[in-house]
Amino acid sequence: MDVLITGFKSLFSNYMLVSAMLSWLAAQIIKIFTGLYQSKQMSITNILFGTGGMPSSHSASVLGLTTAAAIKYGLGSPYFAICAILSVVVMIDASGVRYETGKQAVLLNKITKEIFSGKPELMNSGLKELVGHTPFQVIMGALLGLAVGISLSFVM
């Protein structure tokens, strides 16, 4: 039992992990309010566990991790290098490939709806349209992760 307790203490005192997770959580909570503002309807499950939206929780979490690595180990460390490359890949993917996939889903859903308009039983439920982020959403998520990582450095 002591090993389990020690393990949990280590887990929750891991500055890099906590920074990434709190950045993700903060982004997801902010999405509740930005989603409510944009769509005028509340879907906490969709906002908390869905993809897309403002700010990017992917960007927030990887930048929170990268910021913590930079502060804890320095800019010349291999930990920072790994986190920085991971951040670049994730943020480019979120605003590039996944964003374009969402735009394609919108078009395909319109085409499908038009083709099967007379036969609704043949129409599928549609492709998920909100899968990526605009560059602005990615930048805002990154700034959030940076802020959380820096803020946590003062308390951990």
Side-chain angles (χ1 to χ4, degrees):
M1 189 66 159
D2 288 337
V3 173
L4 186 61
I5 292 170
T6 304
F8 276 115
K9 284 182 182 178
S10 295
L11 186 66
F12 292 111
S13 63
N14 183 327
Y15 168 49
M16 290 176 60
L17 180 62
V18 171
S19 181
M21 296 308 294
L22 279 180
S23 297
W24 173 84
L25 182 63
Q28 293 300 91
I29 290 170
I30 291 169
K31 282 183 186 184
I32 293 171
F33 299 103
T34 59
L36 183 61
Y37 175 76
Q38 287 176 334
S39 67
K40 308 289 188 241
Q41 60 186 355
M42 181 69 88
S43 172
I44 293 177
T45 305
N46 205 15
I47 293 167
L48 283 178
F49 302 107
T51 56
M54 168 70 173
S56 166
S57 54
H58 291 87
S59 299
S61 59
V62 293
L63 244 296
L65 178 68
T66 302
T67 301
I71 291 170
K72 185 167 181 142
Y73 298 107
L75 296 176
S77 73
Y79 301 111
F80 173 75
I82 292 167
C83 292
I85 296 300
L86 172 69
S87 293
V88 169
V89 169
V90 167
M91 291 188 297
I92 287 173
D93 180 63
S95 65
V97 175
R98 289 182 9 172
Y99 183 66
E100 290 300 319
T101 300
K103 287 171 44 178
Q104 290 172 2
V106 169
L107 183 59
L108 287 171
N109 284 339
K110 284 180 183 177
I111 291 169
T112 303
K113 194 173 193 178
E114 191 173 309
I115 290 172
F116 294 111
S117 62
K119 304 171 194 159
E121 69 279 357
L122 296 177
M123 195 169 81
N124 65 10
S125 61
L127 298 170
K128 187 173 181 180
E129 295 178 359
L130 188 60
V131 293
H133 297 282
T134 64
F136 181 72
Q137 292 170 336
V138 169
I139 290 167
M140 295 311 291
L143 291 174
L144 177 62
L146 182 67
V148 169
I150 292 170
S151 299
L152 276 180
S153 72
F154 294 107
V155 295
M156 290 192 82

